[in-house]
Amino acid sequence: MGDKRELTVELGERSYPIYIGEGILEDAGKLFVQHGISIKSPIMIVSDVAVAKHHLPLLQSVLEEAGYSIATAIVPSGEGSKSLSVFEDLVGQALKAGLDRKSTIVALGGGVVGDLAGYVAASYMRGIKFVQVPTTILAHDSSVGGKVAVNHPLAKNIIGAFHQPELVLYDLNTLQTLPPRDVSAGLSEVVKHGLIWDAEFVTWCDENAERLLALDPDALGYALYKGCSVKAAVVSRDERENDLRAILNLGHTIGHALEAVAGYGELLHGEAISIGMVGSARLAVRLGAPEDVYTVTKHVLRRVGLPTKLPAHLDTNAIMDAMMHDKKFQEGTMVFIVPVAIGQVEINKSVSSALVREIVEELKREE
Amino acid sequence: MGDKRELTVELGERSYPIYIGEGILEDAGKLFVQHGISIKSPIMIVSDVAVAKHHLPLLQSVLEEAGYSIATAIVPSGEGSKSLSVFEDLVGQALKAGLDRKSTIVALGGGVVGDLAGYVAASYMRGIKFVQVPTTILAHDSSVGGKVAVNHPLAKNIIGAFHQPELVLYDLNTLQTLPPRDVSAGLSEVVKHGLIWDAEFVTWCDENAERLLALDPDALGYALYKGCSVKAAVVSRDERENDLRAILNLGHTIGHALEAVAGYGELLHGEAISIGMVGSARLAVRLGAPEDVYTVTKHVLRRVGLPTKLPAHLDTNAIMDAMMHDKKFQEGTMVFIVPVAIGQVEINKSVSSALVREIVEELKREE
């Protein structure tokens, strides 16, 4: 059994702890009480069909044993549930279950469930408490920082809030059923946290790639601890994305465009971000960074099983158009997060679109 | 021409000013610039059909002359627009108009438009700037304090946020077209602010009732200034309604129940709150407050043209049921705001429902 790890996201009165380890869910009742989750008001656990089947019975019974009154709301698996209509339905279920201003909503699942349930918690009665129980590797990213949202037919994540959880329970046992492709895609954001902040951790990911892909609990626990720690450090310094927090978007400008053009599903989020990070590294070298920014970035992403080449059939014009609509372009300025070395990035607000176009073309010819 | 008045809602870094006076809208361009509303990013003015006809052309042209790029979104008049479907439509219009993270949403209208547009501003890209331009007397209440929301089919105001505006522009000229019944209903919350906080102001309302009903700008400007000041003082001490802010709900527990049972429309909000405040005053006397709490409350409300008697055809059981579902009942405790003197209230968390039932019956026999 691996170590249990704990870290705190420092946000003043909104600070909260993250617990990472095997069997954390069995301690959920004790941890809820310890962190002030009211036992008098009903709790609603939101999950999706796939996750609920595996993990809801344990979480529900542990909380009920601790004296909590539990309602459950199960949504279809997949991005389609991040809609206002599912949101409205969940608010109705919360009302029928009698949730009041001291109630708590628990998100049991990956990023979709976390974003959706978090936005319900942010909005219900103008904001009630929220607990994240992530069940994917990718969700280590969305469970830190309080960004919650649903999609609009015209744009992803455009309707949302900043709403910090009370605590995050990361049980490594829930990750054991992940398909290999989701493991690699989840590791994309883990590696990203190394690339923007911690060169030593990038080396560690390279050296421990096999253990990570085999879901070795010790390696996985350490990687999630490091990934969450970097994200927490950044978010603590800039909760509402005024400046620094933008560095977390390394690879995301190209990555989001690829997801939009490929149609959600062909490329997983982590895969699109992987290709985007290789693009950012190429851009960095063109702007004067050392060559190893590119070679190391590409190497470590391939080591954890991620694609680094842009699918050649995706139209370059369509990709460029999608980037122009990305919400990170403020007041017409084109912003890119660009590495200056492994473990260090800068925000470049004047990248020319002609250069970006060249990089997109190069990514199609990547080995 | 009456005086122009200014006050500040003190909320630390979320503090904002309220400007009250005749012709304030003509200064909108200058005031927007002065308060940091970005000229580079598009603005969207949200209004309703009735208000837009009278006041949108002036506001739009003043802002365009100041160099702002303006989009407009007009919703149907009435409570029906406070729905998630209208909300989703407004987000779509904001996207099509190119609103970015530095854009501002302006609410031009009464409480419905303020609540709806405010929730769009709170949610769009996880929160953008927001300016309130109230055009009703009642909206003096909702424009202070940052409570924004839409309705769910099962409950009013259940989906929302706390989102403070950057500034509030209260042009008394926009109030001149209000029908007399809306004038009185709006004065209900003005009087409420006296009853909970400022006995002298209650006397002033009594002495100046005719001027208020005649929409005399000097009297109206002073009354709105005082009403906003009390609300600001309360909200400054308790932004997120943890305790003190609850005193603003004087008359609302009974009032909301009357609105729900009568069906929205038979009783205006201010009228229902007026009856509710008379009920609270009766309750107060039964709990030991001096008799004048009741006589003065009833007198001043009648002076500004408000009903004080509960319509006899409304079913007492239905009213009691509606109160039990009010979201202000936390963890099963029945909470009432009860006057202890004119200008002073307390939060009583243990009012028996049998006593409330008696009060409801008495309100039906009110003179």
Side-chain angles (χ1 to χ4, degrees):
Chain A
M1 185 161 176
D3 291 339
K4 292 194 181 177
R5 295 182 173 84
E6 183 185 344
L7 67 106
T8 301
V9 183
E10 298 287 356
L11 289 166
E13 61 182 15
R14 290 185 298 286
S15 295
Y16 61 92
I18 302 177
Y19 294 90
I20 303 170
E22 292 177 271
I24 293 285
L25 281 191
E26 282 150 41
D27 299 332
K30 191 186 69 183
L31 290 167
F32 271 47
V33 171
Q34 184 184 325
H35 290 285
I37 304 301
S38 168
I39 209 136
K40 293 191 209 160
S41 296
I43 284 177
M44 186 165 87
I45 303 175
V46 177
S47 191
D48 70 23
V49 175
V51 171
K53 191 176 64 177
H54 289 108
H55 308 298
L56 181 57
L58 173 62
L59 179 60
Q60 182 167 0
S61 68
V62 166
L63 291 177
E64 284 174 346
E65 273 164 37
Y68 288 99
S69 161
I70 305 291
T72 61
I74 312 300
V75 302
S77 303
E79 185 80 14
S81 284
K82 273 178 65 175
S83 70
L84 272 182
S85 68
V86 173
F87 168 83
E88 183 163 25
D89 179 64
L90 288 177
V91 170
Q93 292 196 50
L95 279 164
K96 287 178 194 156
L99 268 70
D100 60 36
R101 293 177 59 191
K102 297 195 174 169
S103 282
T104 299
I105 287 179
V106 179
L108 172 67
V112 165
V113 164
D115 281 5
L116 170 67
Y119 189 53
V120 174
S123 307
Y124 186 76
M125 296 184 172
R126 299 192 180 88
I128 62 172
K129 289 182 177 178
F130 172 44
V131 173
Q132 291 255 34
V133 185
T135 61
T136 65
I137 296 171
L138 189 60
H140 90 280
D141 184 44
S142 53
S143 66
V144 181
K147 276 190 174 181
V148 295
V150 296
N151 300 327
H152 185 279
L154 298 177
K156 278 189 71 171
N157 291 328
I158 207 75
I159 299 170
F162 289 91
H163 191 63
Q164 306 296 343
E166 300 299 308
L167 73 161
V168 178
L169 304 184
Y170 220 138
D171 189 333
L172 300 176
N173 292 341
T174 66
L175 307 176
Q176 296 300 321
T177 49
L178 286 175
R181 191 175 166 194
D182 287 336
V183 171
S184 290
L187 291 170
S188 184
E189 297 276 8
V190 171
V191 169
K192 182 199 78 181
H193 287 124
L195 290 172
I196 64 173
W197 200 262
D198 188 337
E200 265 181 45
F201 179 53
V202 174
T203 304
W204 184 92
C205 288
D206 181 10
E207 289 168 357
N208 292 274
E210 288 84 3
R211 292 174 68 207
L212 289 170
L213 293 173
L215 296 170
D216 172 90
D218 260 337
L220 204 53
Y222 179 74
L224 292 174
Y225 174 80
K226 290 294 286 184
C228 289
S229 299
V230 169
K231 176 120 187 215
V234 173
V235 167
S236 296
R237 287 165 173 80
D238 175 27
E239 185 178 1
R240 294 185 71 91
E241 194 162 350
N242 293 312
D243 40 55
L244 180 70
R245 190 163 172 163
I247 71 171
L248 296 169
N249 291 321
L250 176 69
H252 281 60
T253 302
I254 293 175
H256 280 163
L258 296 186
E259 285 182 277
V261 173
Y264 298 101
E266 178 182 337
L267 285 172
L268 297 178
H269 177 70
E271 294 168 346
I273 299 316
S274 174
I275 298 164
M277 288 193 284
V278 175
S280 303
R282 279 191 168 275
L283 190 61
V285 173
R286 291 285 285 271
L287 295 171
E291 181 73 16
D292 81 320
V293 164
Y294 166 67
T295 51
V296 170
T297 296
K298 182 171 170 179
H299 172 75
V300 68
L301 291 168
R302 292 180 71 154
R303 284 277 290 153
V304 296
L306 284 162
T308 54
K309 179 177 177 171
L310 198 156
H313 71 278
L314 298 180
D315 181 57
T316 299
N317 289 332
I319 293 168
M320 296 302 296
D321 281 353
M323 269 188 263
M324 296 302 171
H325 284 95
D326 192 290
K327 68 177 180 293
K328 279 181 292 297
F329 293 106
Q330 286 178 6
E331 298 181 357
T333 314
M334 193 156 180
V335 183
F336 256 83
I337 311 305
V338 183
V340 292
I342 293 297
Q344 198 186 337
V345 294
E346 64 178 17
I347 303 172
N348 188 322
K349 296 193 175 180
S350 56
V351 174
S352 90
S353 62
L355 177 55
V356 175
R357 181 180 286 272
E358 286 178 39
I359 298 293
V360 168
E361 288 293 334
E362 287 176 16
L363 281 171
K364 291 184 179 178
R365 298 190 297 271
E366 196 75 41
E367 290 295 301
Chain B
M1 184 159 177
D3 290 338
K4 292 194 180 177
R5 293 181 173 85
E6 182 185 344
L7 69 106
T8 301
V9 183
E10 299 287 357
L11 289 165
E13 61 182 16
R14 290 184 298 285
S15 296
Y16 62 91
I18 302 177
Y19 295 91
I20 303 170
E22 293 178 271
I24 292 284
L25 280 191
E26 282 150 41
D27 299 331
K30 192 186 68 183
L31 290 168
F32 271 48
V33 171
Q34 185 183 321
H35 291 286
I37 304 300
S38 168
I39 209 137
K40 292 191 210 160
S41 296
I43 282 177
M44 186 165 88
I45 303 175
V46 178
S47 192
D48 70 24
V49 176
V51 171
K53 191 176 64 178
H54 289 108
H55 307 298
L56 181 57
L58 173 62
L59 179 59
Q60 181 168 1
S61 68
V62 165
L63 291 177
E64 283 174 346
E65 274 164 37
Y68 288 98
S69 162
I70 305 290
T72 61
I74 313 301
V75 302
S77 302
E79 185 80 15
S81 284
K82 273 178 63 175
S83 70
L84 271 182
S85 68
V86 174
F87 168 83
E88 183 163 26
D89 180 64
L90 289 177
V91 170
Q93 292 195 51
L95 279 164
K96 285 178 194 156
L99 268 70
D100 60 35
R101 293 179 58 189
K102 296 194 175 169
S103 283
T104 299
I105 287 179
V106 179
L108 172 68
V112 166
V113 165
D115 281 4
L116 169 67
Y119 188 54
V120 174
S123 309
Y124 186 76
M125 295 185 173
R126 299 194 180 84
I128 63 173
K129 289 182 176 178
F130 172 44
V131 173
Q132 290 256 33
V133 185
T135 62
T136 65
I137 296 171
L138 189 61
H140 90 279
D141 184 44
S142 54
S143 66
V144 181
K147 275 189 176 184
V148 295
V150 296
N151 301 328
H152 185 277
L154 298 177
K156 279 189 70 170
N157 291 328
I158 207 75
I159 299 171
F162 290 91
H163 191 63
Q164 306 296 342
E166 300 299 308
L167 72 162
V168 178
L169 303 183
Y170 220 136
D171 190 334
L172 300 176
N173 292 340
T174 64
L175 307 176
Q176 295 300 321
T177 49
L178 285 176
R181 191 176 168 195
D182 287 336
V183 171
S184 290
L187 291 171
S188 183
E189 297 275 7
V190 171
V191 169
K192 182 199 77 181
H193 288 126
L195 290 172
I196 64 173
W197 200 261
D198 187 337
E200 266 181 43
F201 179 54
V202 174
T203 305
W204 183 93
C205 287
D206 181 11
E207 289 169 359
N208 292 275
E210 289 83 2
R211 293 172 67 208
L212 288 171
L213 292 173
L215 295 170
D216 172 271
D218 261 338
L220 203 54
Y222 179 74
L224 292 175
Y225 173 79
K226 290 294 285 183
C228 289
S229 298
V230 170
K231 176 118 187 216
V234 173
V235 167
S236 297
R237 289 166 173 78
D238 176 26
E239 185 177 3
R240 296 186 71 92
E241 195 164 348
N242 293 312
D243 39 55
L244 181 70
R245 191 163 172 164
I247 72 172
L248 297 167
N249 292 321
L250 177 69
H252 281 60
T253 301
I254 293 174
H256 280 163
L258 297 184
E259 286 182 277
V261 172
Y264 298 101
E266 178 182 338
L267 285 172
L268 297 178
H269 177 70
E271 294 167 347
I273 300 315
S274 174
I275 298 164
M277 288 191 286
V278 175
S280 304
R282 279 190 169 275
L283 191 60
V285 173
R286 291 284 285 271
L287 295 172
E291 181 72 17
D292 82 320
V293 165
Y294 166 68
T295 53
V296 171
T297 296
K298 182 171 170 177
H299 172 75
V300 68
L301 290 167
R302 292 180 71 153
R303 284 277 290 153
V304 297
L306 284 163
T308 54
K309 179 179 178 168
L310 198 155
H313 70 278
L314 297 181
D315 181 57
T316 300
N317 288 332
I319 294 167
M320 294 303 296
D321 280 353
M323 270 188 262
M324 297 302 172
H325 284 94
D326 192 290
K327 68 176 179 290
K328 281 183 289 298
F329 293 108
Q330 287 177 6
E331 300 182 356
T333 313
M334 193 155 182
V335 183
F336 256 82
I337 311 305
V338 183
V340 292
I342 293 297
Q344 199 186 335
V345 293
E346 63 177 17
I347 304 173
N348 188 322
K349 297 193 175 180
S350 56
V351 174
S352 88
S353 61
L355 177 55
V356 175
R357 179 180 287 271
E358 286 179 38
I359 298 293
V360 168
E361 287 294 333
E362 287 176 17
L363 282 171
K364 291 184 178 179
R365 298 190 297 269
E366 196 74 41
E367 289 295 299

